[in-house]
Amino acid sequence: MFPTYDEFLSWMPQLLAGFSISLQITALSLLLGIPFGLLLALGVMVRNKALRALCLFLVEVGRGAPALVLLQFIYFGLPSLNFTIESFAAAIIALAWNTGAYTSEIMRASLLSIPQGQREASEALCFTRIDELRFILLPQSLRVALPALLGFSILIFQGTSLCFAIALPELVSSAYEIGSTTFRYFPALLCAGALYACVSIPAALFVSHVERRAGLYAQR
């Protein structure tokens, strides 16, 4: 049932290669998705109706459609429009869109949590909109949003397992390939799950620590 020591050693290079791809997808999706989420949050709050409608559309589709549907739409659907994307790029685009859609609501809520008096003070000091956002709103809102953003990052890392559906050789795909070769699916997937846990559990503990620190800051 459990992998033997020899199996573990023989499987680990392939599993670590898939694990590396999962980490790369996570990092790039967050690197693109969180700034995209900030832009969507700002776009939803503007007075321009056309821009607000476009941002709301992107947010609702990104949140309403499962990540697996976004992955398959970009990888399998776009080629019918003569626009082919390789699996790695498709995974990043889909997960970055999903990240941006969810984090836009986190960012919007954190921006709205800033007391109105600080906005009025920035106007009294003749700050421009950009300066108000850069020096007053963003530093405080990011402190509020950080625990939720970190928690969502763990979900995106776990969500990279969906990329096996578009033939990307990430961690779950590597485990399935080992299982199809050796017919030892359970031990292979168990090893993959252990690698996920090695990242997710410490990350969850770190998020809890950040949440406690943020709660102490809010009480000051």
Side-chain angles (χ1 to χ4, degrees):
M1 180 179 293
F2 295 99
T4 65
Y5 181 72
D6 290 337
E7 286 176 332
F8 180 79
L9 290 181
S10 63
W11 296 347
M12 196 50 57
Q14 185 174 354
L15 290 174
L16 287 177
F19 183 62
S20 175
I21 293 176
S22 296
L23 290 177
Q24 292 175 46
I25 296 170
T26 302
L28 291 172
S29 298
L30 294 173
L31 186 64
L32 297 175
I34 291 177
F36 182 48
L38 176 59
L39 292 177
L40 289 176
L42 295 174
V44 169
M45 298 168 65
V46 299
R47 296 178 181 177
N48 187 300
K49 292 183 179 180
L51 179 58
R52 186 167 67 246
L54 174 62
C55 292
L56 281 172
F57 172 78
L58 293 174
V59 169
E60 294 305 320
V61 172
R63 294 177 62 202
L68 182 59
V69 173
L70 293 177
L71 283 165
Q72 295 194 339
F73 170 75
I74 293 172
Y75 185 69
F76 294 111
L78 291 184
S80 63
L81 302 176
N82 296 321
F83 193 74
T84 303
I85 301 177
E86 63 177 12
S87 58
F88 188 83
I92 293 171
I93 293 171
L95 293 180
W97 186 359
N98 187 253
T99 299
Y102 277 96
T103 58
S104 68
E105 293 301 291
I106 297 173
M107 297 299 296
R108 187 166 68 91
S110 64
L111 287 169
L112 293 176
S113 70
I114 307 301
Q116 183 63 27
Q118 298 198 28
R119 301 173 186 268
E120 295 172 355
S122 68
E123 292 179 2
L125 293 171
C126 299
F127 276 29
T128 65
R129 292 290 186 182
I130 298 297
D131 288 339
E132 177 187 3
L133 182 67
R134 178 183 175 188
F135 295 112
I136 297 177
L137 300 182
L138 275 183
Q140 297 182 76
S141 64
L142 287 176
R143 188 185 293 270
V144 174
L146 184 60
L149 292 176
L150 290 174
F152 186 77
S153 299
I154 299 174
L155 296 179
I156 288 296
F157 169 65
Q158 295 170 344
T160 58
S161 60
L162 298 173
C163 296
F164 82 94
I166 59 172
L168 186 67
E170 43 73 55
L171 181 54
V172 172
S173 296
S174 300
Y176 267 101
E177 185 175 347
I178 291 171
S180 63
T181 303
T182 63
F183 298 100
R184 298 270 287 162
Y185 285 97
F186 181 82
L189 291 171
L190 187 64
C191 290
L195 288 175
Y196 277 113
C198 286
V199 173
S200 298
I201 293 176
L205 294 175
F206 177 70
V207 171
S208 298
H209 172 72
V210 172
E211 287 177 341
R212 288 194 297 269
R213 293 292 299 271
L216 292 175
Y217 174 80
Q219 293 174 5
R220 294 178 182 176

